[in-house]
Amino acid sequence: MTIKVGLVVGSLRKDSYTRAIAKQASELLPDNYQVIDINIGNLDLYNQDLDDEDRVPQSWKNFRQQMSKVDAVIFATPEYNRSVPGALKNAIDVGSRPYGKSIWDKKPAVILSVSPGSISGFGANHHLRQSLVFLNMPVVSQPEVYIGNVTSVLDDNLKITNPGTLHFLQSAMDTFDDLVNRFND
């Protein structure tokens, strides 16, 4: 059985360290996983009036439809001002509405936070975790995935060169696989 996983990356940069780490981590999943890159950069800002007045932007419809077809989610985020980037928070809000129709409900998730600094996106990781708990998403608890000093583990082509980082990401993806299988049996 193919398991579809949405890859939601909070960084919109073309040479994003976060996206590079997330893509390589997703490649460590078993062969029966299909990872779907979910673009959040073109989502209209969430405004409940648009849902209430049946004026839903096409970008929301497309996003909600795409996310409704995945079984689980990999969230990858940089840290902006001790929290998640606005694009990622907007995607979470768009997907959680209209009330009672959240596309996030019961989808297993893993959070990867990435930073060129040594704090490793800790604040963003935990802010995101708070939202996902509220949205009823089972989230990998351990290992918590913080990749700090990311430029020291990537080469000029944004490939992970540090064997310890690859081993750590493999353990996180194995744990994510276990979580996904518990909820998709």
Side-chain angles (χ1 to χ4, degrees):
M1 172 181 133
T2 300
I3 297 171
K4 294 182 180 180
V5 176
L7 177 61
V8 179
V9 179
S11 174
L12 304 181
R13 289 180 53 243
K14 65 180 176 193
D15 292 326
S16 164
Y17 303 133
T18 304
R19 179 170 298 285
I21 294 289
K23 297 272 280 180
Q24 290 169 78
S26 71
E27 292 167 1
L28 300 172
L29 289 167
D31 291 340
N32 64 318
Y33 279 76
Q34 177 187 4
V35 178
I36 301 161
D37 199 349
I38 308 289
N39 180 4
I40 62 171
N42 62 356
L43 279 175
D44 290 275
L45 290 176
Y46 186 72
N47 176 341
Q48 185 172 330
D49 291 343
L50 300 177
D51 268 328
D52 292 348
E53 297 165 4
D54 200 26
R55 296 185 296 126
V56 176
Q58 191 62 46
S59 68
W60 296 4
K61 290 177 186 178
N62 294 344
F63 175 74
R64 289 170 176 169
Q65 181 180 30
Q66 195 174 28
M67 287 306 304
S68 71
K69 294 179 181 177
V70 301
D71 304 303
V73 185
I74 297 171
F75 288 100
T77 185
E79 183 169 292
Y80 291 2
N81 304 310
R82 298 287 186 254
S83 190
V84 298
L88 181 53
K89 179 62 167 88
N90 186 54
I92 289 167
D93 293 344
V94 168
S96 71
R97 299 290 190 266
Y99 186 77
K101 295 184 179 177
S102 173
I103 51 89
W104 306 116
D105 190 44
K106 298 180 184 161
K107 289 186 185 192
V110 62
I111 300 169
L112 317 173
S113 59
V114 176
S115 173
S118 59
I119 297 177
S120 314
F122 175 86
N125 192 302
H126 281 265
H127 276 188
L128 182 54
R129 189 173 300 274
Q130 259 185 318
S131 293
L132 301 188
V133 167
F134 176 77
L135 294 170
N136 197 32
M137 296 184 80
V139 180
V140 169
S141 297
Q142 291 292 325
E144 293 177 301
V145 184
Y146 312 114
I147 306 294
N149 301 308
V150 69
T151 56
S152 69
V153 300
L154 295 172
D155 66 17
D156 292 340
N157 296 313
L158 301 181
K159 295 294 180 199
I160 299 170
T161 57
N162 183 296
T165 301
L166 286 169
H167 178 73
F168 175 64
L169 289 172
Q170 184 66 67
S171 71
M173 292 300 103
D174 290 347
T175 303
F176 179 53
D177 176 47
D178 290 343
L179 181 68
V180 169
N181 286 312
R182 276 190 276 150
F183 281 86
N184 285 320
D185 283 341

